Amino acid sequence: MGKKVMKLFLDTMLRAAVIILAVAIVAMLVLLAKTMSKSKKNDTTSKKEVSSIVTEENDPSDPTFGGDGDADETTDASSDGENSQDPSEDTSSSSAKNAKMVVLNASGVSGVAATWQTTLTADGYTSVDIGTYQGDTQSSTTVYTSDSYDVSSLTAILGSASTSARTDIDDSMADVDISDADIVVVIGVDNAANN
């Protein structure tokens, strides 16, 4: 009889432990759900506040990125509504990013111009059209530009691209109209796989 009582006692304790464990799991799931809903609310709030976050590159007190080390002057100027521009920024380089550009695939590999279009657009170039070079396959990439554009940042992206005068490429060498393009990039085999 003592064994039956002991077995009954242990069965009851085991069932009680299982019930307590189940209640604890349900309670944890409820807390997790509340935490996740608060987290989603905080995510939407933090997205609105992202513009107020100062990164290293935008930190006016960081002389590494052109700041003068005096954050108060820059903060006061920007709070007055003035357009604060980094004085070390080259305006001719930014005009190259706003120039009308056509990227021509001369590599013989399908899709290369479209891939470079995506890369250049992501880098801040605002007007990038694509086409196919109508001449022979080119082994190296060439950037055709007028003297009014600084294309050093563009050639840095392209790697070993050479530069040439915009007038050195005939408009008939493309399957698209390049006559009004300020910059024409002819992608050669050297940049077919680099992107």
Side-chain angles (χ1 to χ4, degrees):
M1 177 116 169
K3 289 183 181 182
K4 284 185 178 185
V5 172
M6 184 59 98
K7 183 177 179 189
L8 183 62
F9 175 74
L10 290 176
D11 282 344
T12 306
M13 292 302 286
L14 183 60
R15 287 181 185 175
V18 168
I19 291 171
I20 291 171
L21 186 58
V23 170
I25 290 172
V26 169
M28 292 180 105
L29 289 174
V30 169
L31 287 174
L32 179 64
K34 283 184 178 180
T35 304
M36 298 220 14
S37 69
K38 283 183 181 179
S39 176
K40 286 182 182 178
K41 287 178 186 176
N42 289 342
D43 284 348
T44 58
T45 304
S46 66
K47 285 180 185 176
K48 293 176 185 174
E49 296 172 1
V50 166
S51 61
S52 66
I53 296 173
V54 177
T55 61
E56 271 188 51
E57 188 171 349
N58 296 332
D59 185 1
S61 64
D62 187 352
T64 306
F65 292 100
D68 59 2
D70 188 6
D72 292 335
E73 283 182 22
T74 309
T75 305
D76 290 343
S78 61
S79 65
D80 291 340
E82 293 179 17
N83 185 6
S84 60
Q85 184 175 353
D86 186 355
S88 66
E89 187 174 305
D90 186 6
T91 56
S92 62
S93 177
S94 67
S95 67
K97 289 196 174 197
N98 294 324
K100 179 162 178 44
M101 182 186 309
V102 177
V103 177
L104 299 177
N105 184 358
S107 69
V109 178
S110 179
V112 170
T115 303
W116 276 107
Q117 178 186 38
T118 302
T119 300
L120 294 172
T121 301
D123 198 56
Y125 291 88
T126 57
S127 176
V128 182
D129 294 325
I130 60 171
T132 304
Y133 185 73
Q134 296 298 302
D136 294 331
T137 300
Q138 300 294 303
S139 59
S140 60
T141 300
T142 305
V143 177
Y144 296 91
T145 183
S146 64
D147 290 336
S148 61
Y149 293 102
D150 177 10
V151 293
S152 58
S153 61
L154 177 61
T155 56
I157 293 170
L158 294 167
S160 61
S162 61
T163 57
S164 189
R166 170 62 184 91
T167 55
D168 289 350
I169 185 170
D170 188 65
D171 294 346
S172 65
M173 295 306 292
D175 67 341
V176 295
D177 182 21
I178 62 170
S179 60
D180 62 341
D182 301 311
I183 300 171
V184 177
V185 180
V186 178
I187 302 292
V189 175
D190 61 341
N191 275 310
N194 287 350
N195 193 8

